[in-house]
Amino acid sequence: MADFLEEYAIGKEQDSHLHKSIFAVSIFGAVLTAPFVLINFIQGRPAAGIAALAIISIYLFTAWHASKNRINYLRSAVLLTGALTAFFFISIYQQGITGLLWSYPAVAALYVIFPMRLARVSNLVVFVVVVALAASFIDLAIAAQAAISLLIVNTSCIIFVSRTSQQQQDLSLLAETDALTGVFNRLKMNEKLNSMILEARVSGTAFTLIALDLDHFKKINDERGHDVGDQVLRIFGRLLINSCRDTDLIFRTGGEEFIVAMLNADAVTSRK
């Protein structure tokens, strides 16, 4: 439980592309929900209109934090789940099956906006509330159908989001890793070194950079061929990975040249 709270309660920096997606979904949800605020007020359902307005406010609140690349997921999930629960209670009580239909887009939105574990918890709350309300205010047959259909929607969303997330991770790994040696590439080095240097300056810890290259590597390529040269680079990459600490970062900057970045390591430590 502590790990769960630490992971999602702290508004820490996350991937900027993910935040752009969250921003777009939140704005889209707010825009689509807005007309129904007016409709509920016009048709004499002020409670539903206020609940819908609360949902829009939370969408915009989440979008604003996403635009700053900093989201407190736990706070946003609690607020949005609470607002959705209130809205479903009012809508199903007043409109029956029509109010029930709002639960399906809500399920999808929660999976898109929040991390998987948090989305599952939020959707579990939504599932229990919606099925209970359907059983109380509509009938048991409708409640059973709602339970089955919501389970199908949840399962489909979990599969879709999980596969999409895995594909994004695979693409990210390909973009930042040297395919031949398995270490980080030059693009990743430019990104990581700036943050490591800043961290060393702020914390006052030692920071060491080691530049390495393979002597006579061109001769190996010329005399033995590029296939043998590639094999040498693979072996050297594995050697570096096995020899360095878990906290060290290894980059291939080009050809047979490598950089090892060691945070919290002085000259003596780096020689070891």
Side-chain angles (χ1 to χ4, degrees), residues 59-80:
Y59 272 136
L60 295 177
F61 176 79
T62 303
W64 182 78
H65 281 281
S67 69
K68 302 296 182 181
N69 283 336
R70 197 168 182 85
I71 299 178
N72 188 316
Y73 286 114
L74 183 60
R75 178 178 59 195
S76 296
V78 170
L79 291 173
L80 186 56

PDB file of all heavy atoms in Angstrom, residues 59-80:
ATOM      1  N   TYR A  59     -11.853  17.431 -14.943  1.00  0.00           N
ATOM      2  CA  TYR A  59     -11.195  17.221 -16.235  1.00  0.00           C
ATOM      3  C   TYR A  59     -10.246  18.386 -16.547  1.00  0.00           C
ATOM      4  O   TYR A  59      -9.093  18.179 -16.943  1.00  0.00           O
ATOM      5  CB  TYR A  59     -12.237  17.112 -17.346  1.00  0.00           C
ATOM      6  CG  TYR A  59     -12.774  15.724 -17.594  1.00  0.00           C
ATOM      7  CD1 TYR A  59     -14.142  15.513 -17.778  1.00  0.00           C
ATOM      8  CD2 TYR A  59     -11.927  14.622 -17.662  1.00  0.00           C
ATOM      9  CE1 TYR A  59     -14.642  14.243 -18.016  1.00  0.00           C
ATOM     10  CE2 TYR A  59     -12.421  13.356 -17.900  1.00  0.00           C
ATOM     11  CZ  TYR A  59     -13.778  13.168 -18.073  1.00  0.00           C
ATOM     12  OH  TYR A  59     -14.271  11.910 -18.310  1.00  0.00           O
ATOM     13  N   LEU A  60     -10.738  19.606 -16.370  1.00  0.00           N
ATOM     14  CA  LEU A  60      -9.919  20.786 -16.663  1.00  0.00           C
ATOM     15  C   LEU A  60      -8.758  20.904 -15.683  1.00  0.00           C
ATOM     16  O   LEU A  60      -7.654  21.307 -16.070  1.00  0.00           O
ATOM     17  CB  LEU A  60     -10.788  22.050 -16.617  1.00  0.00           C
ATOM     18  CG  LEU A  60     -11.887  22.143 -17.685  1.00  0.00           C
ATOM     19  CD1 LEU A  60     -12.717  23.395 -17.484  1.00  0.00           C
ATOM     20  CD2 LEU A  60     -11.275  22.123 -19.084  1.00  0.00           C
ATOM     21  N   PHE A  61      -8.989  20.542 -14.438  1.00  0.00           N
ATOM     22  CA  PHE A  61      -7.937  20.546 -13.422  1.00  0.00           C
ATOM     23  C   PHE A  61      -6.819  19.569 -13.814  1.00  0.00           C
ATOM     24  O   PHE A  61      -5.624  19.894 -13.736  1.00  0.00           O
ATOM     25  CB  PHE A  61      -8.543  20.159 -12.072  1.00  0.00           C
ATOM     26  CG  PHE A  61      -7.558  20.033 -10.949  1.00  0.00           C
ATOM     27  CD1 PHE A  61      -7.065  21.151 -10.303  1.00  0.00           C
ATOM     28  CD2 PHE A  61      -7.138  18.781 -10.515  1.00  0.00           C
ATOM     29  CE1 PHE A  61      -6.159  21.038  -9.258  1.00  0.00           C
ATOM     30  CE2 PHE A  61      -6.239  18.649  -9.472  1.00  0.00           C
ATOM     31  CZ  PHE A  61      -5.753  19.786  -8.843  1.00  0.00           C
ATOM     32  N   THR A  62      -7.216  18.381 -14.260  1.00  0.00           N
ATOM     33  CA  THR A  62      -6.244  17.376 -14.693  1.00  0.00           C
ATOM     34  C   THR A  62      -5.508  17.833 -15.944  1.00  0.00           C
ATOM     35  O   THR A  62      -4.293  17.652 -16.073  1.00  0.00           O
ATOM     36  CB  THR A  62      -6.958  16.034 -14.956  1.00  0.00           C
ATOM     37  OG1 THR A  62      -7.647  15.612 -13.775  1.00  0.00           O
ATOM     38  CG2 THR A  62      -5.943  14.958 -15.352  1.00  0.00           C
ATOM     39  N   ALA A  63      -6.242  18.431 -16.880  1.00  0.00           N
ATOM     40  CA  ALA A  63      -5.623  18.924 -18.113  1.00  0.00           C
ATOM     41  C   ALA A  63      -4.593  20.011 -17.818  1.00  0.00           C
ATOM     42  O   ALA A  63      -3.523  20.055 -18.431  1.00  0.00           O
ATOM     43  CB  ALA A  63      -6.695  19.454 -19.057  1.00  0.00           C
ATOM     44  N   TRP A  64      -4.906  20.884 -16.882  1.00  0.00           N
ATOM     45  CA  TRP A  64      -3.984  21.964 -16.528  1.00  0.00           C
ATOM     46  C   TRP A  64      -2.686  21.394 -15.957  1.00  0.00           C
ATOM     47  O   TRP A  64      -1.589  21.818 -16.341  1.00  0.00           O
ATOM     48  CB  TRP A  64      -4.632  22.908 -15.525  1.00  0.00           C
ATOM     49  CG  TRP A  64      -3.753  24.074 -15.151  1.00  0.00           C
ATOM     50  CD1 TRP A  64      -3.529  25.199 -15.885  1.00  0.00           C
ATOM     51  CD2 TRP A  64      -2.962  24.201 -13.969  1.00  0.00           C
ATOM     52  NE1 TRP A  64      -2.649  26.031 -15.229  1.00  0.00           N
ATOM     53  CE2 TRP A  64      -2.286  25.453 -14.049  1.00  0.00           C
ATOM     54  CE3 TRP A  64      -2.771  23.395 -12.850  1.00  0.00           C
ATOM     55  CZ2 TRP A  64      -1.432  25.901 -13.052  1.00  0.00           C
ATOM     56  CZ3 TRP A  64      -1.920  23.844 -11.848  1.00  0.00           C
ATOM     57  CH2 TRP A  64      -1.261  25.078 -11.955  1.00  0.00           C
ATOM     58  N   HIS A  65      -2.783  20.422 -15.067  1.00  0.00           N
ATOM     59  CA  HIS A  65      -1.588  19.794 -14.504  1.00  0.00           C
ATOM     60  C   HIS A  65      -0.822  19.009 -15.570  1.00  0.00           C
ATOM     61  O   HIS A  65       0.413  18.966 -15.544  1.00  0.00           O
ATOM     62  CB  HIS A  65      -1.963  18.880 -13.335  1.00  0.00           C
ATOM     63  CG  HIS A  65      -2.209  19.615 -12.061  1.00  0.00           C
ATOM     64  ND1 HIS A  65      -1.194  20.074 -11.256  1.00  0.00           N
ATOM     65  CD2 HIS A  65      -3.358  19.998 -11.454  1.00  0.00           C
ATOM     66  CE1 HIS A  65      -1.697  20.693 -10.206  1.00  0.00           C
ATOM     67  NE2 HIS A  65      -3.015  20.666 -10.301  1.00  0.00           N
ATOM     68  N   ALA A  66      -1.555  18.386 -16.500  1.00  0.00           N
ATOM     69  CA  ALA A  66      -0.887  17.668 -17.588  1.00  0.00           C
ATOM     70  C   ALA A  66      -0.094  18.624 -18.459  1.00  0.00           C
ATOM     71  O   ALA A  66       0.990  18.294 -18.946  1.00  0.00           O
ATOM     72  CB  ALA A  66      -1.909  16.901 -18.420  1.00  0.00           C
ATOM     73  N   SER A  67      -0.626  19.835 -18.667  1.00  0.00           N
ATOM     74  CA  SER A  67       0.087  20.830 -19.480  1.00  0.00           C
ATOM     75  C   SER A  67       1.372  21.288 -18.816  1.00  0.00           C
ATOM     76  O   SER A  67       2.295  21.755 -19.470  1.00  0.00           O
ATOM     77  CB  SER A  67      -0.814  22.039 -19.752  1.00  0.00           C
ATOM     78  OG  SER A  67      -1.039  22.778 -18.561  1.00  0.00           O
ATOM     79  N   LYS A  68       1.443  21.116 -17.479  1.00  0.00           N
ATOM     80  CA  LYS A  68       2.653  21.479 -16.727  1.00  0.00           C
ATOM     81  C   LYS A  68       3.590  20.287 -16.554  1.00  0.00           C
ATOM     82  O   LYS A  68       4.626  20.398 -15.879  1.00  0.00           O
ATOM     83  CB  LYS A  68       2.269  22.013 -15.340  1.00  0.00           C
ATOM     84  CG  LYS A  68       1.342  23.224 -15.362  1.00  0.00           C
ATOM     85  CD  LYS A  68       1.998  24.419 -15.991  1.00  0.00           C
ATOM     86  CE  LYS A  68       1.075  25.626 -15.962  1.00  0.00           C
ATOM     87  NZ  LYS A  68       1.692  26.812 -16.608  1.00  0.00           N
ATOM     88  N   ASN A  69       3.221  19.143 -17.167  1.00  0.00           N
ATOM     89  CA  ASN A  69       4.008  17.899 -17.053  1.00  0.00           C
ATOM     90  C   ASN A  69       4.159  17.440 -15.608  1.00  0.00           C
ATOM     91  O   ASN A  69       5.195  16.899 -15.213  1.00  0.00           O
ATOM     92  CB  ASN A  69       5.398  18.066 -17.680  1.00  0.00           C
ATOM     93  CG  ASN A  69       5.356  18.013 -19.188  1.00  0.00           C
ATOM     94  OD1 ASN A  69       4.432  17.445 -19.762  1.00  0.00           O
ATOM     95  ND2 ASN A  69       6.332  18.615 -19.837  1.00  0.00           N
ATOM     96  N   ARG A  70       3.124  17.664 -14.822  1.00  0.00           N
ATOM     97  CA  ARG A  70       3.194  17.261 -13.420  1.00  0.00           C
ATOM     98  C   ARG A  70       1.782  16.981 -12.916  1.00  0.00           C
ATOM     99  O   ARG A  70       0.967  17.889 -12.804  1.00  0.00           O
ATOM    100  CB  ARG A  70       3.855  18.346 -12.584  1.00  0.00           C
ATOM    101  CG  ARG A  70       4.335  17.874 -11.222  1.00  0.00           C
ATOM    102  CD  ARG A  70       5.240  18.935 -10.591  1.00  0.00           C
ATOM    103  NE  ARG A  70       5.757  18.512  -9.320  1.00  0.00           N
ATOM    104  CZ  ARG A  70       6.841  17.771  -9.161  1.00  0.00           C
ATOM    105  NH1 ARG A  70       7.511  17.362 -10.227  1.00  0.00           N
ATOM    106  NH2 ARG A  70       7.271  17.425  -7.968  1.00  0.00           N
ATOM    107  N   ILE A  71       1.489  15.717 -12.623  1.00  0.00           N
ATOM    108  CA  ILE A  71       0.144  15.318 -12.222  1.00  0.00           C
ATOM    109  C   ILE A  71       0.189  14.541 -10.921  1.00  0.00           C
ATOM    110  O   ILE A  71       1.000  13.622 -10.762  1.00  0.00           O
ATOM    111  CB  ILE A  71      -0.529  14.446 -13.302  1.00  0.00           C
ATOM    112  CG1 ILE A  71      -0.656  15.213 -14.613  1.00  0.00           C
ATOM    113  CG2 ILE A  71      -1.904  13.995 -12.844  1.00  0.00           C
ATOM    114  CD1 ILE A  71      -1.273  14.396 -15.724  1.00  0.00           C
ATOM    115  N   ASN A  72      -0.679  14.909  -9.988  1.00  0.00           N
ATOM    116  CA  ASN A  72      -0.906  14.099  -8.799  1.00  0.00           C
ATOM    117  C   ASN A  72      -2.035  13.126  -9.148  1.00  0.00           C
ATOM    118  O   ASN A  72      -3.216  13.462  -9.051  1.00  0.00           O
ATOM    119  CB  ASN A  72      -1.291  14.993  -7.619  1.00  0.00           C
ATOM    120  CG  ASN A  72      -1.342  14.211  -6.308  1.00  0.00           C
ATOM    121  OD1 ASN A  72      -1.879  13.108  -6.261  1.00  0.00           O
ATOM    122  ND2 ASN A  72      -0.785  14.798  -5.266  1.00  0.00           N
ATOM    123  N   TYR A  73      -1.667  11.946  -9.597  1.00  0.00           N
ATOM    124  CA  TYR A  73      -2.650  10.994 -10.101  1.00  0.00           C
ATOM    125  C   TYR A  73      -3.655  10.575  -9.033  1.00  0.00           C
ATOM    126  O   TYR A  73      -4.851  10.453  -9.308  1.00  0.00           O
ATOM    127  CB  TYR A  73      -1.945   9.751 -10.644  1.00  0.00           C
ATOM    128  CG  TYR A  73      -1.257   9.953 -11.962  1.00  0.00           C
ATOM    129  CD1 TYR A  73       0.121   9.883 -12.070  1.00  0.00           C
ATOM    130  CD2 TYR A  73      -1.988  10.211 -13.113  1.00  0.00           C
ATOM    131  CE1 TYR A  73       0.759  10.063 -13.286  1.00  0.00           C
ATOM    132  CE2 TYR A  73      -1.372  10.390 -14.336  1.00  0.00           C
ATOM    133  CZ  TYR A  73       0.018  10.318 -14.410  1.00  0.00           C
ATOM    134  OH  TYR A  73       0.634  10.506 -15.623  1.00  0.00           O
ATOM    135  N   LEU A  74      -3.170  10.335  -7.816  1.00  0.00           N
ATOM    136  CA  LEU A  74      -4.056   9.846  -6.767  1.00  0.00           C
ATOM    137  C   LEU A  74      -5.127  10.884  -6.442  1.00  0.00           C
ATOM    138  O   LEU A  74      -6.306  10.553  -6.334  1.00  0.00           O
ATOM    139  CB  LEU A  74      -3.244   9.508  -5.517  1.00  0.00           C
ATOM    140  CG  LEU A  74      -4.035   8.910  -4.356  1.00  0.00           C
ATOM    141  CD1 LEU A  74      -4.711   7.613  -4.769  1.00  0.00           C
ATOM    142  CD2 LEU A  74      -3.126   8.681  -3.154  1.00  0.00           C
ATOM    143  N   ARG A  75      -4.727  12.140  -6.300  1.00  0.00           N
ATOM    144  CA  ARG A  75      -5.691  13.194  -6.005  1.00  0.00           C
ATOM    145  C   ARG A  75      -6.722  13.323  -7.122  1.00  0.00           C
ATOM    146  O   ARG A  75      -7.934  13.403  -6.867  1.00  0.00           O
ATOM    147  CB  ARG A  75      -4.959  14.522  -5.809  1.00  0.00           C
ATOM    148  CG  ARG A  75      -5.882  15.707  -5.532  1.00  0.00           C
ATOM    149  CD  ARG A  75      -5.069  16.967  -5.310  1.00  0.00           C
ATOM    150  NE  ARG A  75      -4.243  17.270  -6.478  1.00  0.00           N
ATOM    151  CZ  ARG A  75      -3.236  18.141  -6.457  1.00  0.00           C
ATOM    152  NH1 ARG A  75      -2.931  18.775  -5.343  1.00  0.00           N
ATOM    153  NH2 ARG A  75      -2.535  18.367  -7.558  1.00  0.00           N
ATOM    154  N   SER A  76      -6.257  13.348  -8.375  1.00  0.00           N
ATOM    155  CA  SER A  76      -7.179  13.469  -9.509  1.00  0.00           C
ATOM    156  C   SER A  76      -8.125  12.276  -9.589  1.00  0.00           C
ATOM    157  O   SER A  76      -9.319  12.441  -9.888  1.00  0.00           O
ATOM    158  CB  SER A  76      -6.387  13.593 -10.814  1.00  0.00           C
ATOM    159  OG  SER A  76      -5.620  14.776 -10.827  1.00  0.00           O
ATOM    160  N   ALA A  77      -7.615  11.070  -9.312  1.00  0.00           N
ATOM    161  CA  ALA A  77      -8.455   9.873  -9.378  1.00  0.00           C
ATOM    162  C   ALA A  77      -9.526   9.889  -8.299  1.00  0.00           C
ATOM    163  O   ALA A  77     -10.685   9.529  -8.552  1.00  0.00           O
ATOM    164  CB  ALA A  77      -7.591   8.620  -9.247  1.00  0.00           C
ATOM    165  N   VAL A  78      -9.154  10.299  -7.091  1.00  0.00           N
ATOM    166  CA  VAL A  78     -10.136  10.360  -6.001  1.00  0.00           C
ATOM    167  C   VAL A  78     -11.231  11.371  -6.326  1.00  0.00           C
ATOM    168  O   VAL A  78     -12.427  11.106  -6.156  1.00  0.00           O
ATOM    169  CB  VAL A  78      -9.437  10.722  -4.675  1.00  0.00           C
ATOM    170  CG1 VAL A  78     -10.464  11.040  -3.592  1.00  0.00           C
ATOM    171  CG2 VAL A  78      -8.542   9.580  -4.210  1.00  0.00           C
ATOM    172  N   LEU A  79     -10.833  12.546  -6.812  1.00  0.00           N
ATOM    173  CA  LEU A  79     -11.803  13.586  -7.142  1.00  0.00           C
ATOM    174  C   LEU A  79     -12.733  13.149  -8.272  1.00  0.00           C
ATOM    175  O   LEU A  79     -13.959  13.296  -8.191  1.00  0.00           O
ATOM    176  CB  LEU A  79     -11.074  14.870  -7.538  1.00  0.00           C
ATOM    177  CG  LEU A  79     -10.330  15.604  -6.414  1.00  0.00           C
ATOM    178  CD1 LEU A  79      -9.525  16.767  -6.982  1.00  0.00           C
ATOM    179  CD2 LEU A  79     -11.303  16.100  -5.359  1.00  0.00           C
ATOM    180  N   LEU A  80     -12.142  12.609  -9.353  1.00  0.00           N
ATOM    181  CA  LEU A  80     -12.950  12.230 -10.509  1.00  0.00           C
ATOM    182  C   LEU A  80     -13.859  11.047 -10.181  1.00  0.00           C
ATOM    183  O   LEU A  80     -15.038  11.035 -10.580  1.00  0.00           O
ATOM    184  CB  LEU A  80     -12.047  11.894 -11.693  1.00  0.00           C
ATOM    185  CG  LEU A  80     -12.757  11.611 -13.020  1.00  0.00           C
ATOM    186  CD1 LEU A  80     -13.659  12.779 -13.406  1.00  0.00           C
ATOM    187  CD2 LEU A  80     -11.740  11.346 -14.129  1.00  0.00           C
TER     188      LEU A  80
END
